[in-house]
Amino acid sequence: MFVLRGVQRHLRFAQRPDLNEKFYKMSGKPEPMAVFSVFQTTFLLALLSLRMYQSQVFSEPLPLAPKSLEISIDSTHQRLHLQWRVHNLAYHRELKMVFQIEISRIKTSNVIWVENYSTTVKWNQVLRWSWESQLPLECTQHFVRMRSGAADAQIPEPRFWGDWTSWEEVAVQSSLGHHPLSVFPKDKLVEEGSNVTVCYVSRSHHNNISCYLEGIQIHGEQLDPNVCVFHLNNVPFIRDTGTNMYCKMDPGGVIKGIVLFVSKVFEEPKDFSCETRDLKTLSCTWDPGKDTGLLTQLSPSYTLFESFSGKKVICTHKSWCDWQAAPDSQEMYNFTLTAGNDLRKRSVHLLFNLTHRVHPMAPFNVLFKNVSPTNAAMTWRVHSIGNYSTLLCQVELYGEGKVIQKQNVSVVANGELLVRNLEPYTEYVAQVRCAHASHFWRWSEWTRDNFTTAEAAPSEAPDVWREVKSVQGHRVVTLFWKPLSKLQAKGKILFYNVVLENLDGPSTMKLLSIPAPANCTELALDHHSYQIHVTANNSVGTSPAAVITLSRDPGNKDVEEARVKGTKDGFSLSWKPQPRDVTGYIVEWCEHPRDPRCDLQWKSLGPNTTSTVVSSDAFRPGVRYNFRIYGISTERIPYLLEKKTGYSQELDGSVCCKYKIDNPKQKTFVVQNLQPASFYEFFLTPYTSAGEGPLGTFTKVTTQDEYSRILIRILVPMILCILLLTILCYLKSQWMKEKCYPDIPDPYKSSVLSLIKSKENPRLTIMNVKDCVPDAIEVINKREGARKSLIETEPTKPTYLHLLPTEKSYPGPGPCICFENFTYNQAASESCGPVPGPPKEQPSQLGLLTSSENVLKALGKTYVNSLGEIPAGETNLNYVSQLASPLCGDKSSLPTNPPEPALCSEYKMQMAIPMGLASPPSITPLDEGAAAHSPCPPRSSGSRCAAHGEQFAQVQSERGRAGRWTLHPGWNFQCQ
């Protein structure tokens, strides 16, 4: 070794003085003192002894080893958590140690992970270490062991390790239960592009199991007979609800599956920046980047750490965080922003000086003082930043939406600026912002306000023109002027003054005041010369006067009209320059020549101008426009120079036709074959052998639409037909009503009511419920064995069985009560005879009608005979209701032998006829063997009717209507 060789060499020199002396003589150095040689030798010997002792100590195995190893399982994150202690470590002693950890899978010999974990160990300290498995822990068993060694740098290699601990088994499958099929891991969170290992565990290896990822079958490797492993590489993000995988077992149909929550890659924060607005609070902002797509499962967290102060702040927002600055004690800041979730962490750094990151707050209290027509003083205030911080403020002035002025001003607390060169009565917008003057970082927000300069007198005279017409010996002058522009008006125009000065007579003036916004006035003048002055006025003053002169001579000379052709830019007009002095030119035209109001327009030009282009948005194709060009003399008198006419755009579809009329006496002409709904212009001019006359004024004509004629031809016949049908329907309305829906007869309006004169009950009328009591049965005799229907049987002579009470309430023969209804039975009776009874006194003629009370009482009594004795097949028993009587007309005198009745359509009331009035010769006999009639059951009861051993229910009649009973051959008695 080097140390031992050095010690031996020094020993040799120390033991041989002759060599020592010879060496110093050869080197030319003085011989050292003997004391120094002895001291050096003693030091080297001591160093050699220490080195040999250390080699002897560390050559022995280290007695400190890990003890009390415990393993816990985190199935959610697929991790093993280890914790242990180191025994036999002296109290208050610290030792750097390294622990070697081995992890095996399936069996102990299959080591899949080896890691050295270095740390400083203290007395009685609990050490911890974690390991994350790529294969779910539930898929198979794992084994863990460890050993320790010294981590002292003074100990040379090779390092001496302690003994291994015993293998600790980690078996999660034992806690899975007895499910036939399981898939792992459950609800695993992974990042897009990661590799994931999935497995299924089956309790029986005889089953056929197939697995599917998002509906597509996948194949894996068999880890053991019951476990199959699938390696999913570079998994993509599909949806925020996760990626589905399931396995199906056959036979049995057991399906188990899992959801892999795949997130997008967690990005690091972008544009990380910090600034202060008052040197007291730092505001740090950043762009968090794109969302991971799994905000519910992976909520990101953000932490701000400053290295100089060692402080840390957990941010509550995902894009900004505040930090309390200390400008008096710290100017430099070094921030680390850490963003992370359960899968990844990202960090960004920022180093800056606090005074270099000043972002001032917006100025406030902006005011404008001493505002004149051309100047204004602007003032504002700024927020203080530290002690005596100077700010640079920028002021911008806007007029009509454009920046017209920009200036910079240095400000400590209050700012002020005088804005010059402004226009009167104009609205301006001024805005100001500030930044730190020493170290510019960022402008503050704008603070703006508007103001309007004061008014001034108008600077320009109005542009004036006139239109002169002669009406009944005087002139009507319409005076026009154009409104002044905003720059010319210098304020709000309130009124216009028009001054008339008669140039031919005494010097008199007439003043007219026209309120704004009027732009014309009409004047009635004589034929003298007048000079007109027009001025515009606002609240400050009056504009210069516009002067126009009306001469006594109208000066309308004949001027030849020239043709011009318009373009898309307008009409290009030119004229000859005038030999005499002129002060300007006027071009006049009507903007809407087809409108009687014309809408006169004009254009004022300078004296040196001999051409112009007249354009207007009102010009339309196919419309003819006429232009007049006037010159303005030095006396301000206009005179006509030229006439121009033309179209702004001639239509391609226009047709020009020319007709020659040879008869000079002809006064009319019809132009045929014109197009409907089209516009035409006509003019008439004379001609001679020398040529045609001048062009005349065009007459405008618009033809009608041909569709209107077609509609008239169609609509007029339709209207006439509808009117005729309406008249016919009105005339035949009564006939149609009788045929289609006749009126229902009103029994209260029947003539039969005149027969009712009962003193006992004068109110007795038709259809009263208490009066409608059936009390007559019609018996129709038939031959024995006859089975013909009522329709086939010839009408027979009916016999009436009269329903009368047996009590002796009448002194003579009882009253005859009969009901007749040809609706139910068309065979009418010949007579209505009395029923013999005990002798009684003859009732008077006034007892014609039997009261309803007596009738009701009669129905409740015992009647003479029973219908059960009538032979079958001989008789039909029909109830005759209170409809029409056998004969139409009055029933006060009933014939003894009435003829065969005809049908009647009117209703008749039921009647009780005394014996004296009916006076039949005798009772109409019944056939032999026929039994006397029996009473019908009361209508109000719910009893049942029976005949010949057959029982059936009686149908209760509606109140106020009579019922009907019919006994047909065969004794089938019916109640209706």
Side-chain angles (χ1 to χ4, degrees), residues 71-113:
I71 303 175
S72 60
I73 302 172
D74 183 2
S75 298
T76 302
H77 300 92
Q78 296 298 319
R79 291 176 182 174
L80 294 179
H81 298 289
L82 280 65
Q83 67 177 23
W84 66 95
R85 297 173 183 270
V86 176
H87 294 180
N88 301 327
L89 189 64
Y91 183 69
H92 293 308
R93 182 181 176 186
E94 293 184 0
L95 182 64
K96 291 183 179 181
M97 298 184 64
V98 59
F99 298 90
Q100 190 174 72
I101 305 172
E102 285 187 353
I103 299 178
S104 300
R105 181 175 291 161
I106 303 177
K107 54 185 178 180
T108 57
S109 60
N110 184 24
V111 178
I112 61 170
W113 190 269

XYZ file of all heavy atoms in Angstrom, residues 71-113:
374
model
N -45.850 -5.601 5.943
C -46.218 -5.286 4.558
C -47.724 -5.038 4.513
O -48.521 -5.856 4.990
C -45.848 -6.432 3.601
C -44.349 -6.742 3.693
C -46.262 -6.087 2.163
C -43.930 -7.933 2.876
N -48.113 -3.903 3.932
C -49.528 -3.569 3.711
C -49.776 -3.393 2.223
O -48.860 -3.070 1.457
C -49.913 -2.298 4.471
O -49.114 -1.205 4.033
N -51.027 -3.603 1.833
C -51.402 -3.618 0.413
C -52.338 -2.451 0.116
O -53.305 -2.215 0.840
C -52.086 -4.952 0.049
C -51.159 -6.131 0.373
C -52.504 -4.965 -1.409
C -51.823 -7.467 0.225
N -52.048 -1.717 -0.961
C -52.918 -0.647 -1.479
C -53.429 -1.105 -2.847
O -52.771 -0.920 -3.873
C -52.140 0.659 -1.591
C -53.022 1.811 -2.068
O -54.238 1.598 -2.269
O -52.498 2.927 -2.245
N -54.618 -1.740 -2.853
C -55.141 -2.301 -4.093
C -55.537 -1.222 -5.086
O -55.499 -1.442 -6.295
C -56.359 -3.191 -3.799
O -55.983 -4.280 -2.988
N -55.937 -0.045 -4.593
C -56.360 1.018 -5.497
C -55.220 1.470 -6.398
O -55.398 1.649 -7.609
C -56.900 2.206 -4.696
O -57.984 1.761 -3.872
C -57.387 3.316 -5.625
N -54.046 1.644 -5.790
C -52.890 2.086 -6.563
C -51.913 0.961 -6.872
O -50.831 1.215 -7.410
C -52.152 3.195 -5.800
C -52.990 4.403 -5.539
N -53.720 4.571 -4.402
C -53.232 5.515 -6.301
C -54.365 5.724 -4.439
N -54.087 6.323 -5.581
N -52.273 -0.288 -6.527
C -51.437 -1.463 -6.793
C -50.028 -1.282 -6.208
O -49.025 -1.402 -6.903
C -51.373 -1.731 -8.303
C -52.707 -2.093 -8.924
C -53.279 -3.369 -8.356
O -52.557 -4.333 -8.130
N -54.579 -3.373 -8.091
N -49.977 -0.990 -4.922
C -48.701 -0.746 -4.257
C -48.559 -1.603 -3.018
O -49.556 -1.969 -2.381
C -48.573 0.732 -3.847
C -48.433 1.685 -5.023
C -48.415 3.118 -4.561
N -48.322 4.062 -5.680
C -48.401 5.375 -5.571
N -48.580 5.913 -4.367
N -48.313 6.154 -6.632
N -47.262 -1.926 -2.694
C -46.895 -2.584 -1.439
C -46.163 -1.575 -0.577
O -45.212 -0.923 -1.033
C -45.998 -3.788 -1.708
C -46.627 -4.969 -2.464
C -45.589 -6.066 -2.656
C -47.842 -5.512 -1.728
N -46.598 -1.413 0.644
C -45.996 -0.491 1.588
C -45.269 -1.311 2.665
O -45.895 -2.115 3.364
C -47.056 0.409 2.234
C -47.780 1.267 1.248
N -47.193 2.338 0.614
C -49.052 1.215 0.775
C -48.058 2.924 -0.193
N -49.206 2.244 -0.120
N -43.939 -1.087 2.758
C -43.102 -1.807 3.719
C -42.705 -0.857 4.847
O -42.420 0.331 4.582
C -41.839 -2.360 3.052
C -41.966 -3.662 2.235
C -42.858 -3.466 1.021
C -40.572 -4.140 1.823
N -42.648 -1.375 6.068
C -42.116 -0.620 7.199
C -41.389 -1.588 8.141
O -41.793 -2.730 8.315
C -43.214 0.134 7.924
C -44.246 -0.718 8.636
C -45.258 0.140 9.380
O -45.458 1.297 9.050
N -45.881 -0.435 10.410
N -40.261 -1.091 8.730
C -39.410 -1.925 9.592
C -38.617 -1.038 10.535
O -38.631 0.192 10.420
C -38.476 -2.802 8.751
C -37.452 -2.016 7.981
C -36.177 -1.753 8.383
C -37.616 -1.388 6.703
N -35.529 -0.992 7.440
C -36.402 -0.762 6.397
C -38.683 -1.293 5.800
C -36.220 -0.059 5.217
C -38.483 -0.607 4.631
C -37.263 0.019 4.344
N -37.906 -1.675 11.439
C -37.038 -0.990 12.388
C -35.652 -1.627 12.360
O -35.482 -2.749 11.859
C -37.597 -1.074 13.810
C -38.938 -0.392 14.006
C -39.485 -0.670 15.413
N -40.812 -0.082 15.618
C -41.030 1.134 16.092
N -39.984 1.883 16.443
N -42.258 1.602 16.242
N -34.693 -0.905 12.917
C -33.321 -1.414 13.063
C -33.022 -1.492 14.563
O -33.008 -0.466 15.251
C -32.307 -0.513 12.354
C -30.891 -1.018 12.612
C -32.600 -0.466 10.859
N -32.838 -2.684 15.043
C -32.567 -2.880 16.466
C -31.063 -2.763 16.744
O -30.232 -2.689 15.830
C -33.093 -4.239 16.910
C -34.599 -4.338 16.842
N -35.291 -5.470 17.199
C -35.538 -3.441 16.447
C -36.583 -5.264 17.039
N -36.744 -4.031 16.565
N -30.727 -2.774 18.037
C -29.336 -2.744 18.513
C -28.606 -1.475 18.115
O -27.360 -1.460 18.051
C -28.544 -3.958 17.990
C -29.175 -5.271 18.440
O -29.751 -5.339 19.532
N -29.067 -6.284 17.599
N -29.372 -0.418 17.780
C -28.736 0.851 17.464
C -28.652 1.678 18.746
O -29.637 1.799 19.484
C -29.539 1.605 16.404
C -28.874 2.859 15.831
C -27.598 2.488 15.072
C -29.834 3.593 14.891
N -27.457 2.219 19.013
C -27.231 2.952 20.263
C -28.130 4.187 20.321
O -28.517 4.760 19.301
C -25.769 3.360 20.379
N -28.461 4.611 21.532
C -29.338 5.757 21.767
C -28.660 7.025 21.264
O -27.472 7.241 21.468
C -29.655 5.857 23.261
C -30.615 6.964 23.602
C -31.961 6.885 23.204
C -30.184 8.077 24.302
C -32.831 7.904 23.518
C -31.066 9.107 24.623
C -32.388 9.012 24.216
O -33.270 10.021 24.522
N -29.396 7.869 20.610
C -28.924 9.129 20.037
C -27.818 8.921 19.004
O -27.030 9.819 18.745
C -28.404 10.080 21.128
C -29.485 10.567 22.051
N -30.646 11.142 21.597
C -29.570 10.552 23.405
C -31.420 11.467 22.626
N -30.789 11.103 23.760
N -27.776 7.788 18.424
C -26.755 7.533 17.405
C -27.409 7.515 16.029
O -28.511 6.989 15.854
C -26.078 6.193 17.667
C -24.972 5.889 16.671
C -24.342 4.549 16.943
N -23.350 4.217 15.926
C -22.721 3.044 15.848
N -22.989 2.099 16.766
N -21.838 2.814 14.918
N -26.774 8.101 15.042
C -27.250 8.113 13.655
C -26.239 7.384 12.789
O -25.031 7.568 12.954
C -27.439 9.540 13.145
C -28.566 10.309 13.834
C -28.769 11.678 13.229
O -28.030 12.003 12.277
O -29.669 12.411 13.684
N -26.791 6.570 11.871
C -25.921 5.779 11.025
C -26.508 5.717 9.617
O -27.697 5.444 9.438
C -25.786 4.361 11.591
C -24.851 3.431 10.814
C -23.413 3.946 10.844
C -24.926 2.019 11.386
N -25.658 6.027 8.622
C -26.091 5.906 7.234
C -26.041 4.446 6.822
O -24.990 3.821 6.914
C -25.209 6.732 6.320
C -25.374 8.236 6.507
C -24.517 9.013 5.518
C -24.696 10.519 5.694
N -23.883 11.278 4.729
N -27.208 3.951 6.378
C -27.302 2.541 6.013
C -27.981 2.419 4.641
O -28.693 3.317 4.191
C -28.104 1.759 7.052
C -27.502 1.751 8.452
S -28.415 0.725 9.598
C -28.188 -0.881 8.865
N -27.792 1.287 4.027
C -28.421 0.956 2.757
C -29.127 -0.386 2.943
O -28.590 -1.309 3.554
C -27.400 0.891 1.613
C -26.325 -0.126 1.865
C -28.100 0.638 0.285
N -30.372 -0.441 2.401
C -31.176 -1.648 2.516
C -31.459 -2.172 1.112
O -31.934 -1.436 0.245
C -32.491 -1.353 3.243
C -32.318 -0.872 4.654
C -32.203 0.490 4.928
C -32.249 -1.762 5.698
C -32.048 0.944 6.220
C -32.096 -1.312 7.000
C -31.986 0.037 7.260
N -31.142 -3.439 0.924
C -31.387 -4.090 -0.364
C -32.677 -4.905 -0.257
O -32.801 -5.768 0.606
C -30.217 -4.991 -0.747
C -30.303 -5.495 -2.176
C -29.071 -6.271 -2.577
O -28.873 -7.400 -2.114
N -28.211 -5.664 -3.401
N -33.621 -4.593 -1.186
C -34.962 -5.190 -1.134
C -35.165 -6.003 -2.397
O -34.896 -5.537 -3.503
C -36.040 -4.104 -1.014
C -35.769 -3.212 0.197
C -37.434 -4.725 -0.919
C -36.656 -2.008 0.295
N -35.630 -7.243 -2.231
C -35.939 -8.130 -3.346
C -37.415 -8.491 -3.300
O -37.979 -8.749 -2.229
C -35.096 -9.415 -3.281
C -33.661 -9.233 -3.695
C -32.929 -10.557 -3.774
O -33.536 -11.570 -3.368
O -31.792 -10.578 -4.231
N -38.047 -8.523 -4.499
C -39.452 -8.907 -4.629
C -39.535 -10.000 -5.679
O -38.991 -9.870 -6.787
C -40.314 -7.708 -5.035
C -40.243 -6.607 -3.968
C -41.770 -8.127 -5.264
C -41.016 -5.360 -4.304
N -40.213 -11.087 -5.330
C -40.411 -12.225 -6.226
C -41.890 -12.385 -6.515
O -42.751 -11.942 -5.742
C -39.862 -13.515 -5.601
O -38.480 -13.388 -5.338
N -42.162 -13.034 -7.653
C -43.547 -13.249 -8.072
C -43.752 -14.726 -8.345
O -42.873 -15.392 -8.919
C -43.858 -12.415 -9.308
C -45.287 -12.533 -9.824
C -45.498 -11.571 -10.971
N -45.472 -10.178 -10.515
C -45.272 -9.145 -11.313
N -45.020 -9.348 -12.610
N -45.294 -7.923 -10.822
N -44.853 -15.255 -7.945
C -45.297 -16.656 -8.092
C -44.500 -17.567 -7.172
O -45.051 -18.337 -6.387
C -45.232 -17.143 -9.549
C -46.086 -16.235 -10.448
C -45.681 -18.587 -9.648
C -46.029 -16.584 -11.921
N -43.161 -17.489 -7.246
C -42.289 -18.275 -6.372
C -41.091 -17.421 -6.004
O -40.755 -16.446 -6.675
C -41.857 -19.569 -7.044
C -41.204 -19.392 -8.402
C -40.921 -20.731 -9.055
C -40.298 -20.557 -10.451
N -40.019 -21.876 -11.070
N -40.410 -17.825 -4.915
C -39.332 -16.991 -4.385
C -38.145 -16.899 -5.314
O -37.407 -15.911 -5.289
C -38.889 -17.543 -3.023
O -38.492 -18.922 -3.175
C -40.016 -17.465 -2.011
N -37.967 -17.900 -6.133
C -36.802 -17.864 -7.037
C -37.011 -16.929 -8.217
O -36.042 -16.590 -8.900
C -36.499 -19.286 -7.533
O -37.624 -19.813 -8.234
N -38.237 -16.521 -8.456
C -38.540 -15.654 -9.596
C -38.493 -14.202 -9.132
O -39.516 -13.570 -8.877
C -39.910 -16.007 -10.175
C -40.237 -15.189 -11.420
O -39.333 -14.703 -12.104
N -41.524 -15.029 -11.705
N -37.270 -13.690 -8.993
C -37.074 -12.324 -8.514
C -37.354 -11.363 -9.665
O -36.755 -11.459 -10.744
C -35.659 -12.126 -7.962
C -35.462 -10.693 -7.517
C -35.406 -13.080 -6.802
N -38.251 -10.414 -9.425
C -38.638 -9.456 -10.478
C -38.182 -8.045 -10.155
O -38.249 -7.169 -11.022
C -40.156 -9.464 -10.691
C -40.877 -9.046 -9.407
C -40.641 -10.834 -11.164
C -42.347 -8.803 -9.581
N -37.737 -7.791 -8.913
C -37.361 -6.421 -8.545
C -36.287 -6.450 -7.473
O -36.398 -7.160 -6.488
C -38.573 -5.664 -8.022
C -38.346 -4.186 -7.852
C -37.905 -3.562 -6.739
C -38.519 -3.174 -8.831
N -37.805 -2.223 -6.953
C -38.181 -1.940 -8.247
C -38.935 -3.187 -10.160
C -38.240 -0.737 -8.944
C -39.003 -1.985 -10.832
C -38.655 -0.769 -10.237
